[in-house]
Amino acid sequence: MTFYTEIASSWGPLLLLTDGDRLTGLYFSGARHAPMPATEWRRATNMALAAAVGRQLHEYAGGRRREFDVPIALCGTPFQLAVWEQIRGIPYGETLSYGTLAARAGNGRAVRAAGAATGRNPISIIVPCHRVVGSDGQLTGYAGGLERKRALLTLESGRTARQDGVLSF
């Protein structure tokens, strides 16, 4: 059974999916690849897991949390699972290129496939795909939008973003 709810975040509403025990999806509202609630899904009400996810995201947004410890369940192809597992290992405040990610996932020549798997990450922020960047360090695609990716990386860098988009310390 899939349960769902929407939770507020510093980056806009998030669609949270759970199997009742584990987080199975966390999508920015309107993000590419975000599912729409299906008729067989049930709205989650007063679920401890949803409350824990919301609390940990709030702590992360406030700079008080660097790692998440909610139980998750990822479902994908073997290569997607390998990519997502490598993404989970990217430390807070650091980035990794798609090429390095592909190599760490077992196929250094599968850079585009690693990018596609990254774009299909079902658990935004907690599986920190925002930490994956182009080989030159440039921000590239993000299912939640580049502005959110920039905001998440800015948060983790300890810098602040000014209105004009320039980062400052």
Side-chain angles (χ1 to χ4, degrees), residues 5-17:
T5 192
E6 191 172 270
I7 60 174
S9 80
S10 297
W11 311 280
L14 293 165
L15 174 66
L16 181 147
L17 305 177

Side-chain angles (χ1 to χ4, degrees), residues 95-101 111 115 118 129-142 146 149 153:
T95 59
L96 190 72
S97 72
Y98 288 97
T100 302
L101 176 61
V111 177
T118 301
C129 58
H130 59 276
R131 297 178 187 158
V132 183
V133 297
S135 61
D136 59 359
Q138 292 295 310
L139 300 188
T140 58
Y142 187 61
L146 286 180
K149 183 172 188 166
L153 291 173

Side-chain angles (χ1 to χ4, degrees), residues 25 42 45 64 83 87 106 109 112 132 140:
R42 298 292 171 249
T45 57
R64 297 180 310 279
V83 167
I87 290 171
R109 295 175 41 163
R112 287 181 188 255
V132 183
T140 58

